[in-house]
Amino acid sequence: MELQIKVAQAVQVLNHDAQSCNRVAANQWLVQFQQTGCAWEVATSILTTDHLHRHIPSLVSNSEVEFFAAQILKRKIHSEGHYLQSGPKHALLNALLLAAKRFSAGPPQLLTQICLALAALILSSVDDKKPIEQLFYSLQTLQNDDDGNVAVLEMLTVLPEEVADTRSTDSSISLFQRSQYGQEVSSSFDLAIEVLIELASRHEGLQQILLYRIHFLKDVLLLSAINNGDEKVISGLACLMSEIGQAAPSLIVEASVEALALADGLLRCVGYPSEDWEIADSTLQFWSSLASYILGLDASGAVDKKHVEAIFSSIFLTLVDALLLRAQVDEATFNDRSGVLELPDGLVHFRMNLVELMVDMCQLLLFGAWPPANVPIPWKEVETKLFALNVVSEVVLLEGQMFDISSIMQLVTMLSTWSVDDLSGFMGVVRRSLTDVVGSYSKWISASPANSRPLLLFLAAGISENHCSTACMSALRRFCEESSPVIYEPANLEILLWVGEALEKRHLPLDDEEEVISAISSILGSVPNEELKYNLLARLLSSSYDALRKLINEDGEHSYRQNPATYTQLLNGAARGLHRIGIVFAQLAMSKPNGPATDDPSIRLLRVFWPMLEKIFRSEYMENSNLSAAACRALSLAIQSSGQQFLVLLPSVLDCLSTNFLAFQNHECYIRTASIVIEEFSHMEEYGHLFIRTFERFTQAASVMGLNSSYICDQEPDLVEAYANFASMFVRSCPKQVLAASGSLLEISFQKAAICCTAMHRGSALAAISYLSCFLEVTLDVMLESINSVLEGSYCCIAIQLIARRGEGLVSNIVYALLGVSAMSRVHGLPVEYLKPGQDDTLVPVWLDALAGAAADYLDSKSSKGVKNNYGHMQGKGGRVLKRIIREFADSHRCALTQI
């Protein structure tokens, strides 16, 4: 007892004496004391008995002495704990557990130090191969005590810090500094949960131990937290229980009392009515892994799959109800009739995370029936079930798990009779969710002929409403794709036409309008009767034709220009009409008729369309970039749809394209459209003079001739890409006689491409390199075919001469392209000092040898008969050597060139 008193007095002097010399002396004595063997017994006695306050009434605070005693034990355990024998160690463990019970109500800093000492003692047990399990075993005595729960949580809180401390104990830290250690522990519960989750995920076998404690977690902590509305504790326990079950699903499917208690606890967490969805969301991964595990059980395995499914079916049924309840939309959110129907971000995130789980559960459970007709419809539940049906649609359709879709059609019919005002607010969300389900299950819904008309009317009405127009357009497209022959009934075709005509007033974004028009024209374009097909398509495009006629009405041109607003509206209307015409031609290209060409609706529509389009092409309206792009797009799709029937218009078309490009050289769409013409008709040699004339006009244009530096190429990337792609198509597609007659044009285009390949703009450089590659490949093929007889004036002769004149410049630019734009911009030529010592003598022969090896591989692949290889793609030995040399040269010289 004497030593205990001396320790208490020294601690009081150290912490409260006014004389610094006294504090220094007390500190020195305490340091010496903690190094003695009796410090173990004295410190343990201070923590486990209550004698000091009777012997020293003048002590300011007993907790200071106990705090110091706990620190002594922790420090001595760190330094000497591994020398303790089993008996003394067991006695010390019991003493620390007793101290934890004694001070579980505080002070908090003291309880922390006791738990640190306790954790250090357990972790210093080198003979015990599973110290963590020993720790949890030791905590049983604390859990049996009413006040022990706080000590348990504090123990779990300090565990990770103590683990780190035992790895690197720093003896240079003073006793005073160590006394501050207890001031840094906070958020005890959160850290405790984090520790347990970490242990449960990493230590096999620990899940079983934690599962045995599930009644404590659920009955003592969780239920109390739910009753008190303590969301922090509920959230932490939900994460912990989810991790326990997710880490060991095999224990859960055993359906023990503890496993069912864990499932019940998580169901309570899912159903807890928090303001957000984080608690329910944190459990989803557990339920998904459990469902997947049950589905993956072998029917003939050791575990009775049917028995497991029978036990857990009621749990999953309860889970479905709880999840659907949490996924419901608060209809009060939409009572302001503001027209904004955005769901809360938390709900959107929660619904997205539900997808995987709902897919798994749909294979275990079937959705219940909708409410009877005489019962008020619970719209929140209906909307949530619609969401769930949409989520699992892919799996349901794949597995063929047919359900009664009559309830879906009942909702469609019901909502179709409601007014716009009735479908505002929350009911707008219901309508949108129903539309999503209609689109997802359109294959099944469209199988019934009776469903087509009411469904088309429902979707047609929804397209005009902002909050569900996108969903209705998508559903209409899918319905048309899955439609049955009943869709061709006159009444249904009239509805589709009505939808198309109504779009004129909607002014939807072009992408949205394209989805609707594509869906409608896919049906109209597949009508069996050719005459009816043409009439329907003509009606669909009548408003588009009207928009074009207004634009080309010469009598009103001047007045339109005097009114900018009207003029802009006129141009936009014509551009939208051209866009719609192009959509129809694109759909017709997918369904070519088998009958005579004269009956082809594409040709009949073209006869009406081209005269108007030609007038537009030859007008000053084409200075408008939107109108030019729309006209070129429509023309391109008409060409691809009409095929050879378009030949009669070829001279006029190419003349319009080239003339307009010369007039409006910032509109590269004319060159792109001409590329499509070349692609479709270049094989016809009799039109070669037209192709050459078009190529000449493009090449001689000031904008193309001005491509004299990489800087200019970077300023005109769209022009470079369009011209290079046109030249590539010209060289690849035209007959050799046409190419031979285009020698001067090819040389200019070759030179421009060699310049453009050094551009910084990636698209420009790649397009230019692609053209050069195409030209060289075509030339090599011709050379191999006529290697024994190169005629004067032939393409082969012209190409050889061109390469001889321009090849050096090409190689130079390719090298600069490899070195990078930033390096190239600093020099006008390759300086001598740029090369490494001796490299000027070795560089040329090394590259020549590599080029010769790669060329030999390539020629071998071209001349091989019946033997397939990839040498033509630089995969042979010679090609690989050349690529390595080029790569090493570029990598090792970029930085050096940048510094010059």
Side-chain angles (χ1 to χ4, degrees):
M1 191 63 194
E2 181 179 356
L3 274 178
Q4 294 180 28
I5 296 174
K6 287 184 177 181
V7 169
Q9 292 172 338
V11 170
Q12 187 173 22
V13 171
L14 176 65
N15 292 334
H16 302 285
D17 197 283
Q19 300 295 324
S20 61
C21 58
N22 293 339
R23 294 199 302 272
V24 171
N27 183 69
Q28 291 176 346
W29 187 87
L30 288 171
V31 170
Q32 294 175 357
F33 167 74
Q34 71 174 349
Q35 295 174 357
T36 64
C38 61
W40 290 101
E41 180 180 356
V42 172
T44 302
S45 175
I46 291 174
L47 288 174
T48 56
T49 62
D50 193 26
H51 301 310
L52 280 179
H53 73 281
R54 295 197 298 267
H55 291 84
I56 314 177
S58 61
L59 282 178
V60 175
S61 173
N62 264 0
S63 63
E64 292 184 349
V65 181
E66 283 88 358
F67 185 85
F68 177 75
Q71 277 201 319
I72 289 179
L73 289 178
K74 188 191 73 167
R75 184 175 289 276
K76 292 187 73 66
I77 291 170
H78 276 305
S79 59
E80 305 171 26
H82 55 283
Y83 296 117
L84 291 176
Q85 299 297 318
S86 176
K89 181 178 292 187
H90 186 70
L92 179 59
L93 175 63
N94 289 333
L96 288 173
L97 290 172
L98 180 61
K101 285 184 180 181
R102 181 185 174 194
F103 296 104
S104 60
Q109 296 87 349
L110 176 55
L111 179 59
T112 296
Q113 288 299 314
I114 295 172
C115 290
L116 285 169
L118 181 59
L121 180 63
I122 295 296
L123 295 174
S124 66
S125 304
V126 295
D127 295 333
D128 192 341
K129 296 181 180 180
K130 297 182 178 180
I132 302 297
E133 291 188 14
Q134 176 63 31
L135 172 62
F136 280 96
Y137 176 80
S138 303
L139 294 179
Q140 287 184 2
T141 56
L142 293 180
Q143 293 179 3
N144 294 331
D145 189 270
D146 291 339
D147 297 326
N149 295 333
V150 178
V152 171
L153 294 177
E154 187 64 25
M155 184 69 249
L156 298 176
T157 299
V158 303
L159 179 61
E161 297 185 15
E162 182 57 27
V163 170
D165 193 44
T166 57
R167 293 176 179 173
S168 56
T169 302
D170 189 353
S171 59
S172 66
I173 301 177
S174 67
L175 181 64
F176 179 77
Q177 290 172 314
R178 286 291 182 181
S179 68
Q180 306 302 311
Y181 184 81
Q183 305 300 325
E184 304 172 359
V185 176
S186 61
S187 303
S188 302
F189 181 81
D190 290 340
L191 289 175
I193 292 296
E194 290 180 12
V195 171
L196 280 176
I197 289 176
E198 183 72 13
L199 295 175
S201 63
R202 292 194 176 189
H203 296 276
E204 186 177 357
L206 190 58
Q207 299 88 7
Q208 180 74 69
I209 298 174
L210 292 173
L211 192 58
Y212 286 153
R213 311 293 190 274
I214 194 63
H215 293 293
F216 163 72
L217 294 174
K218 175 197 162 191
D219 299 334
V220 178
L221 297 180
L222 179 62
L223 296 183
S224 175
I226 291 176
N227 291 332
N228 296 327
D230 191 341
E231 293 194 10
K232 175 182 177 181
V233 174
I234 299 172
S235 177
L237 292 173
C239 292
L240 174 58
M241 292 189 294
S242 296
E243 184 60 42
I244 295 172
Q246 186 178 341
S250 59
L251 295 177
I252 306 302
V253 298
E254 291 178 0
S256 63
V257 175
E258 293 79 10
L260 296 178
L262 182 141
D264 180 68
L266 287 173
L267 284 174
R268 293 172 183 267
C269 292
V270 172
Y272 180 75
S274 61
E275 293 186 0
D276 56 35
W277 295 265
E278 291 184 2
I279 294 176
D281 190 65
S282 66
T283 71
L284 297 184
Q285 194 59 44
F286 159 72
W287 295 113
S288 182
S289 64
L290 179 60
S292 298
Y293 188 87
I294 295 174
L295 290 171
L297 289 174
D298 188 351
S300 59
V303 179
D304 188 343
K305 182 177 182 179
K306 290 186 177 180
H307 177 68
V308 172
E309 290 178 343
I311 293 177
F312 283 92
S313 61
S314 61
I315 294 176
F316 278 106
L317 282 171
T318 305
L319 175 62
V320 168
D321 291 338
L323 289 175
L324 295 182
L325 181 64
R326 294 297 295 126
Q328 284 183 359
V329 179
D330 184 3
E331 56 185 314
T333 307
F334 303 96
N335 283 344
D336 59 355
R337 297 182 180 248
S338 62
V340 178
L341 299 180
E342 295 296 330
L343 300 181
D345 291 341
L347 178 57
V348 173
H349 181 75
F350 178 62
R351 285 186 165 194
M352 290 176 60
N353 291 341
L354 271 179
V355 172
E356 180 181 357
L357 175 58
M358 297 302 292
V359 167
D360 289 333
M361 288 197 302
C362 83
Q363 300 179 68
L364 293 173
L365 306 169
L366 293 176
F367 285 95
W370 298 100
N374 58 347
V375 176
I377 298 178
W379 287 113
K380 287 203 299 184
E381 294 181 15
V382 168
E383 192 279 333
T384 311
K385 282 197 173 186
L386 290 171
F387 157 74
L389 280 172
N390 188 51
V391 165
V392 302
S393 60
E394 184 176 350
V395 172
V396 171
L397 293 170
L398 183 64
E399 299 293 330
Q401 300 179 18
M402 189 72 175
F403 64 93
D404 185 8
I405 60 174
S406 61
S407 54
I408 302 297
M409 291 308 301
Q410 289 173 9
L411 290 175
V412 166
T413 303
M414 180 187 304
L415 296 188
S416 296
T417 64
W418 288 22
S419 67
V420 175
D421 291 337
D422 291 335
L423 290 172
S424 61
F426 174 72
M427 289 309 300
V429 178
V430 176
R431 181 188 198 176
R432 186 171 60 190
S433 297
L434 176 60
T435 303
D436 291 335
V437 171
V438 167
S440 298
Y441 294 93
S442 58
K443 182 177 181 179
W444 289 352
I445 297 176
S446 62
S448 174
N451 294 337
S452 295
R453 180 175 173 78
L455 198 58
L456 286 174
L457 290 172
F458 172 76
L459 297 177
I463 289 176
S464 62
E465 300 298 327
N466 290 330
H467 63 272
C468 63
S469 60
T470 301
C472 287
M473 287 186 286
S474 177
L476 178 63
R477 174 184 55 80
R478 298 183 66 173
F479 180 76
C480 290
E481 291 173 351
E482 304 288 351
S483 62
S484 61
V486 72
I487 194 70
Y488 299 121
E489 292 183 357
N492 293 331
L493 295 176
E494 286 296 326
I495 296 175
L496 290 175
L497 284 173
W498 174 63
V499 172
E501 293 168 353
L503 291 181
E504 289 295 322
K505 301 178 182 179
R506 293 282 293 127
H507 297 291
L508 296 172
L510 291 181
D511 289 342
D512 292 342
E513 182 171 296
E514 180 171 352
E515 186 167 29
V516 179
I517 297 299
S518 295
I520 296 173
S521 55
S522 67
I523 298 298
L524 302 185
S526 57
V527 171
N529 185 287
E530 295 296 328
E531 185 64 26
L532 177 60
K533 178 193 300 185
Y534 169 75
N535 291 333
L536 292 171
L537 292 172
R539 284 182 57 188
L540 180 64
L541 295 179
S542 61
S543 60
S544 300
Y545 292 157
D546 291 341
L548 299 184
R549 291 189 182 101
K550 287 181 181 179
L551 188 65
I552 60 179
N553 183 355
E554 297 180 358
D555 295 335
E557 180 177 356
H558 181 72
S559 60
Y560 286 141
R561 287 182 178 273
Q562 296 302 315
N563 189 330
T566 303
Y567 182 65
T568 301
Q569 184 178 7
L570 191 68
L571 291 176
N572 291 339
R576 185 176 291 272
L578 288 167
H579 185 80
R580 182 178 294 192
I581 292 171
I583 296 171
V584 172
F585 275 116
Q587 288 296 324
L588 291 176
M590 301 178 188
S591 55
K592 288 291 185 180
N594 297 322
T598 54
D599 295 334
D600 187 348
S602 297
I603 305 303
R604 299 179 66 181
L605 290 174
L606 187 62
R607 295 190 187 118
V608 179
F609 172 53
W610 172 247
M612 291 186 287
L613 183 60
E614 184 176 17
K615 287 184 179 181
I616 294 176
F617 268 129
R618 299 191 184 281
S619 71
E620 294 183 359
Y621 295 126
M622 297 310 286
E623 66 183 357
N624 182 275
S625 58
N626 289 335
L627 186 64
S628 294
C632 288
R633 177 181 180 274
L635 177 60
S636 300
L637 294 170
I639 292 171
Q640 294 171 329
S641 175
S642 305
Q644 298 301 312
Q645 303 301 318
F646 199 86
L647 281 173
V648 67
L649 303 177
L650 211 55
S652 298
V653 168
L654 288 175
D655 180 65
C656 285
L657 293 174
S658 58
T659 301
N660 275 330
F661 178 70
L662 291 176
F664 313 108
Q665 296 188 25
N666 59 333
H667 298 171
E668 73 286 341
C669 58
Y670 300 114
I671 301 180
R672 299 186 190 278
T673 304
S675 298
I676 294 176
V677 175
I678 297 295
E679 182 180 16
E680 291 288 330
F681 305 108
S682 59
H683 62 283
M684 307 188 72
E685 189 173 349
E686 60 269 30
Y687 292 96
H689 65 285
L690 292 177
F691 305 145
I692 295 174
R693 176 60 176 160
T694 303
F695 192 10
E696 181 181 25
R697 283 186 168 185
F698 290 156
T699 303
Q700 297 298 333
S703 57
V704 174
M705 294 302 293
L707 298 174
N708 294 323
S709 69
S710 61
Y711 175 80
I712 297 177
C713 295
D714 286 328
Q715 306 306 307
E716 300 288 348
D718 293 335
L719 174 62
V720 172
E721 290 184 44
Y723 180 74
N725 291 336
F726 175 86
S728 296
M729 187 61 66
F730 185 89
V731 171
R732 184 183 300 114
S733 305
C734 287
K736 301 304 178 286
Q737 294 83 349
V738 175
L739 296 180
S742 309
S744 60
L745 299 175
L746 293 175
E747 184 162 358
I748 295 174
S749 63
F750 189 91
Q751 179 189 15
K752 299 301 180 184
I755 295 173
C756 294
C757 73
T758 64
M760 180 183 295
H761 191 278
R762 186 174 180 84
S764 299
L766 289 178
I769 293 175
S770 177
Y771 167 54
L772 293 170
S773 176
C774 173
F775 178 86
L776 294 173
E777 185 173 0
V778 170
T779 300
L780 181 60
D781 289 341
V782 173
M783 290 175 62
L784 292 176
E785 293 173 0
S786 58
I787 193 169
N788 296 324
S789 59
V790 178
L791 301 178
E792 185 68 25
S794 66
Y795 171 71
C796 185
C797 178
I798 291 174
I800 292 174
Q801 294 172 355
L802 188 159
I803 294 173
R805 289 191 297 268
R806 301 294 181 181
E808 182 178 352
L810 171 62
V811 173
S812 175
N813 284 354
I814 290 294
V815 170
Y816 278 123
L818 290 170
L819 295 177
V821 175
S822 59
M824 185 204 69
S825 64
R826 288 171 169 76
V827 297
H828 300 287
L830 195 62
V832 177
E833 61 271 20
Y834 170 66
L835 297 177
K836 298 177 180 179
Q839 199 172 37
D840 53 342
D841 295 327
T842 61
L843 187 65
V844 173
V846 168
W847 278 55
L848 285 176
D849 289 343
L851 285 168
D857 287 344
Y858 189 83
L859 290 174
D860 180 63
S861 69
K862 289 290 186 179
S863 59
S864 296
K865 296 182 179 179
V867 180
K868 293 184 179 180
N869 54 52
N870 291 321
Y871 292 171
H873 300 283
M874 298 287 286
Q875 297 301 313
K877 180 179 179 181
R880 291 195 298 270
V881 170
L882 178 60
K883 286 193 294 184
R884 177 179 58 80
I885 290 176
I886 293 175
R887 182 171 57 250
E888 292 177 352
F889 177 81
D891 291 344
S892 62
H893 288 75
R894 275 198 187 99
C895 293
L897 186 56
T898 303
Q899 297 170 0
I900 294 177

